[in-house]
């Protein structure tokens, strides 16, 4: 379930909402900004209590993509797609295919102003189905000549961002013997957990899916009951599941020196950034931390370097996070405000203006 989060200001260029012709499912494609170029953002498949919750989610996520792509230095605008499932709905293969054909039609209706890709609940194979209806799709399977799943590059960027946080709060970026709590063991969270375990981190992990306990056992990590993970003493708390986890109540009880994770919109309210700062907890903005996937997809789609060069850009997210912290300190604002300001400056000036990375 997606928690109820406040809606962003409606500054979107275009929002396409429809009932899928083949699937009968709610679909929405939100183009928030094309100021820096055609938008790029994933297609989420998720269960919502009401269609209006799905609409709110796509509005929030697309606005966050504008910030993410701008701060990452991409010549790409912000957009997102959502396929909303009524509660209790399970997609069989036939209806799933129908849903992604419907999505392809919705994406195509934007005339190339939005490129979609896999996201939570969707896969690179689903993007092959979308490709049957539109060319505005990236992240196709490797076997089909595409770039494949972006979860790996996303996890690399999160790892480098986490090291930057550790450096700021402990004096060293090394993860060995550092206490790290991961909330959410999806594609990115699980990859991060495997890497941190291999490097000797002291891990506490949780997920709403109890089947994920087997991964904790394999890694020698301590399993924590969902909803209690923020109470565990940690050097870094990693929100890696759905958004809205960091409510005022959670922030007030959070036992960590820093927050750094791939979850989109982890703050239940924007004021949470100031609340974290008031408690002396360092916050790395999510749209900077989790940009590895879109950097990889955009650069691969545009043939902007070989894989080694592209992954070097992804790894530079750690330096981007350091610059955000420096900018926040210099301006006397939260890291969230600093990152938003730099992204906004780039958006207002256009693609020729350098962002946090270049």
């Amino acid at each position: 379930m997606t928690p109820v989060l406040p809606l962003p200001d409606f500054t979107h260029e275009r929002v396409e909402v429809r009932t899928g012709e083949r699937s009968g499912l709610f679909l929405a494609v939100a183009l928030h900004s094309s100021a820096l170029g055609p938008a790029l953002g994933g297609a989420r498949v998720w269960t919502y209590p009401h269609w209006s919750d799905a609409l709110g989610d796509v509005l929030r996520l697309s606005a966050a993509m504008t910030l993410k792509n701008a701060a990452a230095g991409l010549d790409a605008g912000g957009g997102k797609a959502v396929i909303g499932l009524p509660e209790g709905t399970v997609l069989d293969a036939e209806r799933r295919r129908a849903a992604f054909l419907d999505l392809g039609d919705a994406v195509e209706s934007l005339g190339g102003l939005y490129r979609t890709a896999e996201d939570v609940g969707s896969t690179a194979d689903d993007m092959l189905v979308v490709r049957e209806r539109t060319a505005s799709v990236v992240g196709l399977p490797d076997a089909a000549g595409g770039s494949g799943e972006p979860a790996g590059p996303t996890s690399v960027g999160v790892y480098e961002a986490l090291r930057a946080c550790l450096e700021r709060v402990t004096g060293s970026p090394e993860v060995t013997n550092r206490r790290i709590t991961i909330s959410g063991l999806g594609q990115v969270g699980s990859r991060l957990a495997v890497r941190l375990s291999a490097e000797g981190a002291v891990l506490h992990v949780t997920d709403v899916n109890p089947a994920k306990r087997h991964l904790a056992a394999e890694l020698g990590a301590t399993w924590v009951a969902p909803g209690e993970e923020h109470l565990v003493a940690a050097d870094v708390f990693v929100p890696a599941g759905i958004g809205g986890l960091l409510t005022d109540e959670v922030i007030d009880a959070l036992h960590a020196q820093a927050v750094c994770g791939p979850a989109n919109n982890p703050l239940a309210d924007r004021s949470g950034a100031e609340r974290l700062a008031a408690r002396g907890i360092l916050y790395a903005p999510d749209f900077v931390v989790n940009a590895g996937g879109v950097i990889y997809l955009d650069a691969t789609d545009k043939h902007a370097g070989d894989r080694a060069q592209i992954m070097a850009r992804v790894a530079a997210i750690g330096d981007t996070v350091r610059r955000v912290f420096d900018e926040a300190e210099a301006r006397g604002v939260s890291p969230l405000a600093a990152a938003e300001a730099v992204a906004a400056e780039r958006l207002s000036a256009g693609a020729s203006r350098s962002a946090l990375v270049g």
Side-chain angles (χ1 to χ4, degrees), residues 81-156:
V82 161
I83 298 174
L85 306 181
E87 292 182 321
T89 301
V90 178
L91 292 181
D92 59 22
E94 182 179 359
R95 197 177 188 194
R96 186 178 188 89
R97 173 175 168 77
F100 282 98
L101 289 172
D102 289 338
L103 176 63
D105 288 340
V107 171
E108 181 65 14
S109 73
L110 269 67
L113 287 177
Y114 165 66
R115 293 171 293 157
T116 197
E118 70 104 346
D119 196 83
V120 175
S122 63
T123 68
D125 287 333
D126 293 323
M127 295 306 107
L128 272 181
V129 179
V130 174
R131 186 59 180 264
E132 294 180 31
R133 305 299 301 174
T134 182
S136 299
V137 57
V138 299
L140 300 178
D142 294 319
S147 57
E149 302 277 357
T154 301
S155 69
V156 170

Side-chain angles (χ1 to χ4, degrees), residues 143-312:
S147 57
E149 302 277 357
T154 301
S155 69
V156 170
V158 176
Y159 170 81
E160 295 297 342
L162 186 147
R163 282 170 48 86
C165 288
L166 282 173
E167 184 176 73
R168 190 66 54 135
V169 298
T170 73
S172 171
E174 298 306 315
V175 304
T176 304
N177 294 325
R178 292 301 178 191
R179 303 165 302 168
I180 299 171
T181 299
I182 302 178
S183 178
L185 294 174
Q187 291 217 47
V188 178
S190 60
R191 283 174 167 83
L192 183 65
V194 169
R195 181 167 188 176
L196 293 174
S197 174
E199 296 187 12
V202 179
L203 288 180
H204 286 76
V205 300
T206 192
D207 193 280
V208 293
N209 180 0
K212 298 290 185 177
R213 293 188 73 144
H214 79 275
L215 178 60
E218 290 173 6
L219 299 179
T222 300
W223 179 266
V224 184
E228 297 181 5
E229 62 270 30
H230 63 291
L231 303 176
V232 177
D235 294 303
V236 182
F237 180 80
V238 181
I242 61 172
L245 174 65
L246 296 172
T247 62
D248 286 351
E249 293 75 19
V250 168
I251 290 172
D252 289 346
L254 183 62
H255 196 3
Q257 294 192 76
V259 173
C260 174
N264 288 303
N265 301 320
L267 298 173
D269 190 275
R270 191 184 180 285
S271 63
E274 300 294 342
R275 202 175 190 98
L276 286 166
R279 292 204 57 222
I281 299 173
L282 184 67
Y283 177 63
D286 56 296
F287 62 85
V288 178
V289 171
N290 63 21
V294 290
I295 292 171
Y296 174 76
L297 289 173
D298 186 67
T300 302
D301 185 50
K302 295 175 179 176
H303 306 289
D306 59 26
R307 181 176 175 82
Q309 292 170 321
I310 294 171
M311 291 307 296

Side-chain angles (χ1 to χ4, degrees), residues 5-27:
L5 298 174
L7 289 173
D9 291 337
F10 190 80
T11 54
H12 295 67
E13 294 179 15
R14 182 173 172 183
V15 180
E16 179 74 21
V17 180
R18 62 175 67 179
T19 299
E21 178 182 342
R22 305 168 187 82
S23 66
L25 294 171
F26 173 91
L27 289 96

Side-chain angles (χ1 to χ4, degrees), residues 1-2 46-50 53 84-90:
M1 295 291 296
T2 299
W46 198 252
T47 299
Y48 298 91
H50 191 263
D53 299 303
L85 306 181
E87 292 182 321
T89 301
V90 178

